[in-house]
Amino acid sequence: MLNKDIGGEYQSLPSAAEPDVYTDGGVGSYNVIPRRARRRQACSSICCCLLVLTFMLTFFLVPRDPQVSYVETEPYNITTKTLQQIFTFKNNNYYHMDWSNLHLEVQLCTFTDPDAWLTAECEVNNPIAVYDYQDSFSTKMQGSVDLLLDFNTSLATPQQVVTIATLCSPYNKNSVIAFRTVGTIDAKLSNGHSFGNSEFSHLALVGCA
């Protein structure tokens, strides 16, 4: 673009898309970044910061389902007719979690092939033990707690008692029993988010004592 000055001569004005050039008294010159380029750089930086912030908020704040894991089962005590199991209750969130209303049932399962005991058939409608954990408990963020649960199998039917006695007989070369433990539990985060009634189950093959 040309601009006519007072003396009648035309001088070229710098383009808006090109950087302004300033001199320092004839010794040298330096460039100044145009305003549009500076605005684009500022917008890019803000967008980058927003993306990082969104990722961080998503990672830390989005609720993650609680996790209940089976640990182990002690040998079935044929004398006291009791069964002990350990479960781990894991909080996968960055908030404290409160657990309550733990309800468990133990089912007796039978199988014909020892190598295929995972396909054992369980007596769903006739649990040999029902356990309601009366206390509530809590876990810190990313924390867990182990519970030792003691089941009394007094609910076993006469037929189930005979089955257990047969499986635990010293004359039985296997002397193992399959139990399936099914349970439900309520879990709630300290930020108010509730996971409702979470279900879990585990099939375990245990010995006799």
Side-chain angles (χ1 to χ4, degrees):
M1 182 183 295
L2 300 178
N3 182 37
K4 187 175 184 180
D5 60 9
I6 298 176
E9 296 180 357
Y10 290 90
Q11 295 180 348
S12 177
L13 295 178
S15 172
E18 298 177 355
D20 296 332
V21 179
Y22 294 87
T23 61
D24 53 1
V27 177
S29 62
Y30 58 92
N31 294 336
V32 177
I33 299 176
R35 293 180 180 178
R36 289 184 181 178
R38 290 198 296 268
R39 283 198 294 267
R40 285 196 296 268
Q41 289 180 356
C43 290
S44 299
S45 299
I46 293 174
C47 291
C48 183
C49 291
L50 289 176
L51 287 174
V52 173
L53 180 60
T54 301
F55 171 78
M56 296 297 290
L57 290 175
T58 302
F59 181 80
F60 288 104
L61 301 183
V62 171
R64 297 172 175 82
D65 291 337
Q67 181 180 357
V68 182
S69 304
Y70 168 82
V71 180
E72 64 177 346
T73 301
E74 294 294 327
Y76 179 77
N77 193 316
I78 191 66
T79 303
T80 60
K81 296 180 174 58
T82 57
L83 181 71
Q84 288 186 334
Q85 291 186 327
I86 300 177
F87 283 88
T88 296
F89 298 81
K90 176 72 184 302
N91 174 16
N92 294 312
N93 296 272
Y94 290 89
Y95 292 94
H96 282 63
M97 177 176 286
D98 295 321
W99 308 74
S100 60
N101 301 322
L102 175 58
H103 174 81
L104 302 111
E105 295 182 1
V106 178
Q107 304 164 358
L108 177 64
C109 307
T110 56
F111 55 90
T112 55
D113 185 359
D115 295 328
W117 64 273
L118 288 174
T119 61
E121 296 183 1
C122 303
E123 299 183 36
V124 178
N125 297 323
N126 295 299
I128 62 175
V130 176
Y131 187 92
D132 288 300
Y133 192 77
Q134 300 298 325
D135 299 326
S136 59
F137 54 96
S138 62
T139 49
K140 297 180 180 180
M141 61 178 184
Q142 294 288 299
S144 63
V145 62
D146 291 344
L147 291 184
L148 174 62
L149 306 172
D150 196 354
F151 299 97
N152 188 319
T153 62
S154 59
L155 294 180
T157 65
Q159 180 59 47
Q160 290 173 331
V161 171
V162 172
T163 300
I164 293 174
T166 302
L167 293 173
C168 288
S169 170
Y171 301 103
N172 187 341
K173 62 179 181 179
N174 292 321
S175 296
V176 291
I177 314 176
F179 295 107
R180 171 175 284 133
T181 303
V182 296
T184 57
I185 191 169
D186 293 333
K188 185 177 181 179
L189 293 175
S190 57
N191 68 351
H193 182 83
S194 177
F195 294 94
N197 205 236
S198 303
E199 300 181 357
F200 60 94
S201 66
H202 185 80
L203 178 65
L205 188 65
V206 301
C208 305

